[in-house]
Amino acid sequence: MPANRVIATPEAIALLDRLSAKHGPLMLHLSGGCCDGSAPLCLPLGEFRLGERDLCLGTVAGAPFCMGDDTFQWWRNTQVILDVIQARGGGFSIEAPDGVRFTAKARLFTDEELAGLSDPQPANTL
C-alpha cells in the first residue's frame, strides 16, 4: 500500500473533528513563511483563497492539507505528520482560542515509499 503524503496524530484528528462539528468542513494550509513554517493554518473550507501554485497533499479527517509548490519542494521527500501542541498561536487559525495549535512534523520517506508516491494535485480545484 502506498504511503500517504500527510497523516495525523489521534490528537490532531480529534481536534479537527471537534472544529469541523463547530465550523463545518475545514482545510489546512502550510505556509512557507519563516515565522509560521511549521504551523498549518486551519480555516473553514473556502475561507482561504488557494492560488494556482498551491498543491493538495491529501486529506486529514476529511480536511484537505495544502501548501504552495515552493514549500512542497522542501517537504517532497517527507511525510507530513499533523499534530497538536499546547501553545498560543499568533495567526488566524481557528484552533487558537482553545490554547492549542496545529504543528507539522516530518518523517523521511523510504526509497520504496518515494517510488510509490504520486504527485500532489493542484489545490485550486477545492
Side-chain angles (χ1 to χ4, degrees), residues 71-83:
T71 303
F72 176 70
Q73 295 310 311
W74 291 99
W75 290 81
R76 82 182 303 84
N77 296 319
T78 61
Q79 183 175 56
V80 178
I81 304 163
L82 184 68
D83 201 0

Side-chain angles (χ1 to χ4, degrees), residues 6-121:
V6 60
I7 61 172
T9 64
E11 295 81 9
I13 292 170
L15 180 57
L16 284 168
D17 288 345
R18 194 170 80 241
L19 291 171
S20 65
K22 182 176 181 180
H23 299 281
L26 303 173
M27 68 158 298
L28 297 144
H29 190 275
L30 183 65
S31 167
C34 65
C35 299
D36 60 354
S38 66
L41 182 66
C42 180
L43 292 170
L45 188 63
E47 293 286 321
F48 183 82
R49 175 173 243 148
L50 295 165
E52 292 180 14
R53 295 181 52 199
D54 284 308
L55 301 171
C56 181
L57 276 63
T59 59
V60 178
F65 189 99
C66 306
M67 64 176 63
D69 61 355
D70 53 342
T71 303
F72 176 70
Q73 295 310 311
W74 291 99
W75 290 81
R76 82 182 303 84
N77 296 319
T78 61
Q79 183 175 56
V80 178
I81 304 163
L82 184 68
D83 201 0
V84 178
I85 58 171
Q86 296 290 320
R88 281 265 184 220
F92 301 103
S93 198
I94 61 174
E95 79 279 4
D98 293 339
V100 296
R101 68 186 298 177
F102 286 108
T103 188
K105 299 175 182 180
R107 176 191 70 84
L108 284 173
F109 285 119
T110 66
D111 290 340
E112 285 179 347
E113 289 172 325
L114 277 172
L117 287 173
S118 57
D119 289 332
Q121 299 301 306

